[in-house]
């Protein structure tokens, strides 16, 4: 048995208002007059309360990024090419936003130092050269992208991450004040990504004490904010931010499961975003995660969430087949969820029936 030797985020700051320390944190990483590039979700373009705290110096540049679509390989390649053309080298890439921006920042930082297209690096341990310095600052909680060793990208053939020891952030700033203003449904769906990470990790065959220690705490915090509390307050933002981190740590040493495998297929064909896609799928997984799904239904009712329904209603045969192939291609997720004989349990026919319900 060979045990995996995981990289961790090298440095992390936690605290309300800690975003203000960004300038002093990155100053020692500045290389001559090579700029820092800030990828910022364009939802903040007009929100000066955030942008005025971005510590610009010299040739530093803010690039506002629209996240209507989740990050794509060609977007990463284009940004890398533009930055190389404009600046040659950069001191680092700082991502400020949700999972989409965090993954984009990680991927561009890697591609600044690696040749070719990011498509070539979608997979496990294909990146052999360290990228430039990269820091992540989440503004919505749940994905665990702030702590993971992957940057999920949609490419021409697959939605798959750049999973490597160089992907993990060098620095993360966890400032719960930044999540103020996230629309209710969106915040719920991204939060459910975290809850689903816990349920899938804790009920998987890959579970071990390392993953369990993080997964249980994260699940407890999710249930506290979504089931036990009746108002969403500062404490909720603080707890969910840490639940996201712990949930990410939990799956690092185990794996996600059925909801993620099915929602990846859906995302590839229909472009459904990660959090909402997982929620749409998880809603129907009572056979696999009975206790988790029951609590999920309770959370949906309690927070009065509009969960999209019938998203696959107009899918063609070809689309169903692509979804099924993409989903069944995620072997480790299925093996974690259902064991080594998962192919006998989750047949293409059974999966098609599940998609048809969604
Ligand atoms: P997101 O980054 O796509 O953002 C969702 C929406 O929330 C966007 O419209 C954004 O503008 C808005 N938003 C973000 N912060 C806000 C704020 N403070 N105020 C108002 N609006 C705000 O959503 P996400 O769910 O965080 O991330 C999904 C992405 O993360 C997907 O691309 C998925 O593949 C990826 N992901 C990565 C990992 C990983 O380990 N790398 C894990 C899970 C998911
Ligand atoms: Zn997820």
């Amino acid at each position: 048995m060979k045990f995996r030797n995981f990289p961790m985020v090298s440095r992390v700051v936690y605290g309300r208002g800690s975003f203000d320390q960004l300038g002093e944190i990155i100053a020692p990483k500045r290389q001559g007059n090579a700029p820092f590039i800030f990828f910022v979700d364009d939802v903040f373009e007009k929100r000066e309360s955030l942008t005025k705290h971005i510590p610009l110096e010299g040739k530093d540049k803010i690039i506002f990024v629209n996240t209507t679509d989740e990050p794509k390989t060609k977007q990463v390649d284009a940004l890398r090419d533009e930055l190389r053309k404009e600046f040659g080298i950069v001191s680092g890439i700082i991502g400020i936003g949700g999972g989409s921006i965090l993954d984009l920042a990680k991927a561009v930082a890697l591609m600044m130092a690696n040749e070719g297209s990011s498509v070539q690096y979608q997979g496990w341990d294909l990146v052999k050269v360290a990228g430039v310095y990269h820091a992540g600052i989440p503004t919505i909680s749940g994905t665990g992208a702030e702590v993971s060793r992957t940057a999920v990208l949609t490419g021409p053939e697959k939605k798959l991450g750049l999973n490597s020891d160089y992907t993990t952030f060098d620095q993360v700033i966890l400032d719960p004040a930044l999540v103020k203003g996230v629309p209710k449904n969106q915040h719920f769906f991204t939060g459910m990504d975290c809850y689903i990470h816990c349920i899938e990790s804790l009920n998987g065959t890959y579970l071990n004490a390392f993953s369990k220690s993080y997964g249980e705490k994260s699940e407890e915090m999710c249930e506290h904010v979504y089931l036990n509390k009746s108002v969403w307050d500062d404490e909720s933002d603080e707890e969910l931010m840490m639940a996201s981190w712990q949930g990410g740590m939990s799956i690092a040493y185990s794996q996600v499961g059925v909801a993620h495998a099915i929602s990846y297929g859906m995302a590839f064909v229909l472009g459904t975003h990660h959090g909402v896609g997982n929620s749409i799928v998880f809603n129907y997984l009572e056979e696999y995660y009975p206790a988790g799904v029951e609590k999920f239904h309770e959370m949906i009712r309690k927070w009065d969430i509009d969960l999209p329904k019938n998203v696959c209603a107009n899918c063609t045969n070809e689309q169903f087949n692509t979804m099924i192939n993409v989903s069944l291609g995620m072997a480790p997720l299925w093996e974690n969820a259902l064991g080594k004989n998962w192919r006998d349990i989750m047949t293409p026919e059974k999966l098609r029936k599940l998609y048809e319900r969604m």
Side-chain angles (χ1 to χ4, degrees), residues 41-44 47 50 65-71 97-103 106 138-154 159 167 177-183 186-187 189-191 193 197 248 251 260 264 273-276 278:
D41 192 304
D42 71 359
V43 77
F44 295 111
R47 235 191 266 173
L50 180 128
V65 180
N66 184 275
T67 51
T68 306
D69 291 327
E70 293 185 346
S100 297
I101 296 288
L102 299 179
D103 281 356
K106 290 195 256 188
T139 63
I140 179 171
S141 301
T143 65
E146 64 278 14
V147 75
S148 75
R149 83 190 273 282
T150 187
V152 183
L153 300 179
T154 303
K159 181 177 177 190
T167 310
L178 300 182
V179 305
K180 271 276 165 295
V182 180
Q186 178 64 55
H187 206 183
F189 295 137
T190 298
D193 188 24
H197 290 160
I251 47 175
H260 277 76
Y264 267 104
H273 279 223
H274 188 81
V276 68
N278 282 339

Side-chain angles (χ1 to χ4, degrees), residues 183-196:
K184 184 182 86 168
N185 279 331
Q186 178 64 55
H187 206 183
F188 183 83
F189 295 137
T190 298
M192 282 304 108
D193 188 24
C194 175
Y195 184 62
I196 296 168

Side-chain angles (χ1 to χ4, degrees), residues 29-77:
K29 305 290 174 190
R30 190 177 288 281
Q31 295 178 18
N33 62 359
F36 278 107
I37 308 300
F38 299 85
F39 290 145
V40 182
D41 192 304
D42 71 359
V43 77
F44 295 111
E45 196 159 1
K46 299 210 166 62
R47 235 191 266 173
E48 247 197 32
S49 56
L50 180 128
T51 52
K52 74 173 185 219
H53 293 273
I54 298 178
L56 295 177
E57 278 183 32
K59 292 188 292 174
D60 291 354
K61 183 173 181 175
I62 298 179
I63 299 180
F64 288 105
V65 180
N66 184 275
T67 51
T68 306
D69 291 327
E70 293 185 346
K72 293 191 163 57
T73 50
K74 67 172 193 277
Q75 178 187 17
V76 168
D77 296 349

